[in-house]
Amino acid sequence: MSASSAFNDEKGGSSSVGEPEYGHDPASGGIFSSDYKRHDDLKEMLDSNKDSLKLEAMKRIVAMIARGKNASDLFPAVVKNVACKNIEVKKLVYVYLVRYAEEQQDLALLSISTFQRGLKDPNQLIRASALRVLSSIRVTIIVPIMMLAIKEAASDMSPYVRKTAAHAIPKLYSLDPEQKDQLIEVIEKLLADKTTLVAGSVVMAFEEVCPERIDLIHKNYRKLCNLLIDVEEWGQVVIINMLTRYARTQFLNPNINKTFYGSDEDEDEDEEEKEKKAEVAAMAKRKPYVMDPDHRLLLRNTKPLLQSRNAAVVMAVAQLYFHLAPKAEVALLILFEMISTLYTCGMFEPYLKSFYIRSTDPTQIKVLKLEVLTNLANETNISTILREFQTYIKSMDKDFVAATIQAIGRCATNIGEVRDTCLNGLVQLLSNRDELVVAESVVVIKKLLQMQPEKHSDIIKHMAKLTDNIQVPMARASILWLIGEYCEHVPKIAPDVLRKMAKSFTNEEDIVKLQIINLAAKLYLTNSKQTKLLTQYVLNLAKYDQNYDIRDRARFIRQLIVPTEKSGALSKYAKKLFLALKPAPVLESPFKDRDHFQLGSLSHLLNAKAGGYQELPDWPEAAPDPSVRNVEVKESVRAVGTVTYRDTGALWGPQKMEGSEESDSSCFFCIEPAPSPQVTPVNTFLSNSLVTDLEGLSLSDSVLSPATIAPSSVLKNYELLHRITGEGLSVEYCFSRQPFSPDANMVAVQMQFTNSATSDTKNLHMEDVKLQSGMRVKEFPEIGEREPEDIQCTAMAVMGIDFCDSTQAANFQLCTHTRKFFVSIQPPVGELMRPIFLTENEFKKEQGQLMGMNEITEKLTLDAKCRNEHAIVQRVTTAANLSRVPCGSDKECRFAGRTVTSSSLVLVTVATKEEGAAQLTVNCEKMVIGTMLVKDILLALTQ
Amino acid sequence: MIHSLFLVNASGDIFLEKHWKSVVSRSVCDYFFEAQERATEPENVPPVIPTPHHYLISVLRHRIYFVAVIQSEVPPLFVIEFLHRVVDTFQDYFGVCTEAAIKDNVVVVYELLEEMLDNGFPLATESNILKELIKPPTILRTMVNTITGSTNVGEQLPTGQLSVVPWRRTGVKYTNNEAYFDVVEEIDAIIDKSGSTITAEIQGVIDACVKLTGMPDLTLSFMNPRLLDDVSFHPCVRFKRWEAERILSFIPPDGNFRLLSYHVSSQNLVAIPVYVKHNITFREGSSQGRFDLTLGPKQTMGKAVESVLVSSQLPRGVLNANLNPSQGTYTFDPVTKLLSWDVGKINPQKLPSLKGTMSLQAGASKPDENPTINIQFKIQQMAISGLKVNRLDMYGEKYKPFKGIKYMTKAGKSVLQRMHIVNCK
């Protein structure tokens, strides 16, 4: 397939000789010159073992991709380099893979294992980029792997990896929409994330995957509002748009019951206005509208963003205010950006002049500005605007002149006082040399005259004279229509015009001909003495016209107006039919009818619904329960305590810590001024929890049965130091089940320090480690400084302990700058192992070798809640760090692992029978471990 | 969100394409080319073009169209802002953003685009972060890379990405600690034919070049901060302090950045520093017209007006112009009818003028459009709004930085004087 595509491509290239880039491209040099094996040199370079050659080759390939050339036949050669050590080569290979993997799915699978390895790399950058590529290669077969990787990354230590996980969610969703439910779970989890880095991305994922699940937002609403100011600008746009929709469903319309709201300190209304409002409120006292504090919170927190440098953010805030705020408040804002839509006049008046048009503006902008000016026009400013319009008419851009004339027409209809002025101005334009201008004026004048015809017979006369000169058909037709309509006002001229028109009838355009017939008919009805013969003549001419419309019209009109013996009752009504009073036209803006779309959206711009547009819901009749947004006290304190940089700016520098008063109960670890701002790279030996579960995954099996993937288990927390004994300092630890990268034989123990005392705690470190022989400990680095992002009063650290495959406790002293505490860590047996992957056959083979003394079997009755396969897997993997082994029978669940220190095999089988009866078998070289494990698993399955 | 990006040059060739989701065929650009053909001027291409399956959103910068392909609802401004950010980043990396520069650095461009968007959603757009992820190409580094085989790609996640100061990298060290601020103001104005100002506004920016060691915390205060209305800040500026004290307090990014942009529109404050007197007459019965233009300085506080350039689109009927400048050079393009006069510096003692005749097409009617004159100029050492920086203080670090501030005023895109053509009988 790849060969044939290369062939086709080559043929295409050689057949179009005119394509100059092909042979003469300097970057690709001789690549294209040799016929069918044109990429051979590149392949050779890729196969070499020198990184620089590989890099050079990859650079050329990427250049080809960038120019849109087909490089797909290099796929096998490129994919081999996915494991290359050189980071730049790797990145470029990733670029290539993402581009072509969809076309060459089978070959792309070769690279998957590399990404899986990348997912457990200690470097968060590599983990993130592995996840990015893994989720970007659109190969359906790896959906389960992607799902798992996303789930794991969502609970990664590094916020950057979590952000990447949020990005991966919509990718997976677009690949396989059936994963929606599971993805929503991940989104829910990530929505609870407190770092600003993640917030924007996860809301974006939310919008793409499940915008209808508004209930997921409740708990996070206040947090999002508070974080908003510190989120990166792109995230801000997405969050603001989402919150606009959310607010529409949750709060009451502030404009319905007359605005009365807890007036904000930042609004400087004058006294009078306040009094007025109080009166209104008194009147509506029966049901006073009080704005929900959460609604107020949103409005208050978005306001500063109006000063963002990013126009998209400003626009987003502007639309939020437009859709959500009381109208009085909108008026306070300067919303220059909302050019095309605001009909709520008045608020822009001071800025009228900003919309004056410059001759250097592009035409579209000119037209938009004109639109704004027209909408802003009122009795007081109309003279200024008209004077401005006068200059525009002299512009060289004819389209713009035409638009200006229409705008004048609209001003004239909207503001009665200036109608005469406008009309006179337009009549003057009739003598303009440019035909387009004249034509446009005639059309507008026609519409204007329709409103008050009786006053303007002289204008009609003037226009009648113009028929001699104007050639634009639309204008001629308009004039004829006008004369016909108001022939009573110009009784002498009308027949004469008809005479002239009859003379030139055959040479006229179709629309003009139709209007001539129309004029003839009307004159016949009002003034038949003078025009009878002329009308007959015109109708005869029309009878033989080439255009059937005109022939039809002539026949129709003749029957209607000329009374014959055959003509029925209709001709009696001819006069009523033709000379009925016509309603004056309404001159409308072309930008009307857009207000049903959310401002600033693509749909609004195009005035057509774009794919994926979310309707802005109407305000609810009654507000839904506001308590859904309440979060447990502890959480909300945290949310408030999340000191945002821009609010207080107090993290550095001489300012006072403002945020601390809100969260005064929680004291921070004393942040000592670090000698250098370099943050300790904790990440180098912290790695993610993905590893364990992915380790055993090979592609073929996961495809066969996605269920073989062990579900991510919940980590259990143990207490190391209680708050009381630790005098405010409490320490919890858990076995993170991640490989401890400094030493593979150690079990990683993750500790979380929480300081709830009022005094500072400094210099946390370990001392005086007492161990059984053979055991080793890798201490965590002293905690004195912390990453500034972590503003809560907790700190994390990871230590490694080699327990020598025994459950002996590790004792040590935990020291602060003032106190020492004796503590010990004792591992449950299940944590002394790490998962490995075995196939079913391997499992059976290994099990066969571990019979007899190494096998322990127990019968048990499963807990009532634990009778399905999923629950069993869940409980076993929680109790012990094992991975699931694929199994043909659904009555059996198998798990495998190795002990951390001695790498002895641990095999577990749970065979289920009728009525919750089951049999547990553990095969392990180390009998002690085996017996203890049986006890633990028994306990887990029966309780 | 953003599906694909195409870069189209002035002659209508797609010279770069990048896809973040499934590949979109480049034939989608045909709709763009259609719109481009319909547009009379390059700027007149509509920014959003709907096609049956996609939407094309484009910006034109440096004579390159950046065309983004969108499939579903997204705020158009979001995309446009992002495209501008892409261009700014390229400019930051390569010095210029031309077709040649992009083609020469296509690999870096690709790596950048890969970092800036993930699945069509912006990932890292802050220049400080990007520069740590992907080192900008310099001659020295290119040489070192070719010899040692090392790379442009950073191996560590930039620390800034994760901190509360995502715009600043950590571990910055300089031997000379300097902070420079440029206050640049651009005037846009419309002046009517009699010389009185119809509307004028000042668009100002403060660009900074900060090279300071460590984590400095700066505060910048103005003598007359009330002057500024409608300000927009770099994300590093703390709102609260601005609102309360009208002081700019911030931890600066490393290197060049735009600290603040502002807008001053109150009419009486803005004085256009240049005036133009014009006199254009056509006489009935002759195909010649008189042309007379004089420039002069106005309220410049003693500073010289430099780099003055006057251009005007003359009416279509004008066949040729035969003019005589008192200083500088002028050109007249008989095809586009564009007259431009490069004046240079205005000497208040001897005002520059451009006089002569214009010839009309024989028999053609006298032009009745009124052309406009566009004036460009520069004034050093002055901010026309009168904005003055009071002082710059630094906290958080111990050394004494070198501080500098520069003011400049120039004409924006359009200082337009409307002309009036007199047709004498």
Side-chain angles (χ1 to χ4, degrees), chain A residues 367-410:
Chain A
V367 173
L368 278 176
K369 280 186 171 179
L370 207 56
E371 176 65 30
V372 176
L373 284 177
T374 319
N375 282 324
L376 291 181
N378 58 23
E379 285 82 358
T380 47
N381 61 20
I382 184 70
S383 54
T384 346
I385 291 184
L386 278 183
R387 209 175 317 132
E388 189 62 22
F389 281 173
Q390 267 173 25
T391 20
Y392 299 162
I393 285 166
K394 298 250 175 175
S395 158
M396 298 199 216
D397 185 341
K398 289 301 168 225
D399 291 341
F400 172 55
V401 173
T404 310
I405 294 171
Q406 281 177 1
I408 295 179
R410 274 182 43 217

Side-chain angles (χ1 to χ4, degrees), chain A residues 138 174 208, chain B residues 1-6 17-25 53-56 67-72 74 79 117 119-121:
Chain A
R138 290 161 294 273
S174 68
E208 296 227 341
Chain B
M1 290 208 162
I2 297 173
H3 227 90
S4 305
L5 176 71
F6 293 98
E17 61 178 68
K18 168 90 183 118
H19 308 273
W20 284 275
K21 300 184 185 182
S22 301
V23 177
V24 177
S25 158
H53 300 290
H54 300 93
Y55 303 93
L56 305 178
V67 186
V69 183
I70 311 295
Q71 205 159 31
S72 59
V74 52
V79 182
L117 277 186
N119 193 35
F121 191 79

Side-chain angles (χ1 to χ4, degrees), chain A residues 685-686 733-751 766 769 771 774-781 797-804 810-812 825 827 831-832 900-901:
Chain A
F685 59 93
L686 271 190
Y733 68 93
C734 67
F735 297 90
S736 60
R737 296 194 173 179
Q738 295 165 351
F740 189 69
S741 47
D743 188 332
N745 284 345
M746 289 192 177
V747 178
V749 182
Q750 185 181 320
M751 290 199 263
M766 284 167 66
V769 184
L771 297 168
M775 280 169 69
R776 292 171 302 137
V777 164
K778 167 89 180 148
E779 296 174 19
F780 62 86
V798 174
M799 61 186 287
I801 305 175
D802 180 358
F803 286 103
C804 278
N811 301 307
F812 57 93
I825 293 179
E831 303 296 342
L832 296 176
V900 174
T901 311

Side-chain angles (χ1 to χ4, degrees), chain B residues 125-170:
Chain B
T125 52
E126 204 57 60
S127 122
N128 261 261
I129 303 279
L130 282 171
K131 280 192 173 157
E132 275 190 77
L133 285 170
I134 300 151
K135 306 271 186 316
T138 58
I139 297 173
L140 185 70
R141 188 168 299 119
T142 325
M143 272 168 54
V144 171
N145 286 353
T146 30
I147 296 163
T148 61
S150 57
T151 64
N152 280 333
V153 178
E155 298 192 23
Q156 281 292 326
L157 186 70
T159 43
Q161 179 93 30
L162 299 172
S163 73
V164 200
V165 233
W167 53 86
R168 187 175 177 90
R169 60 195 180 96
T170 48

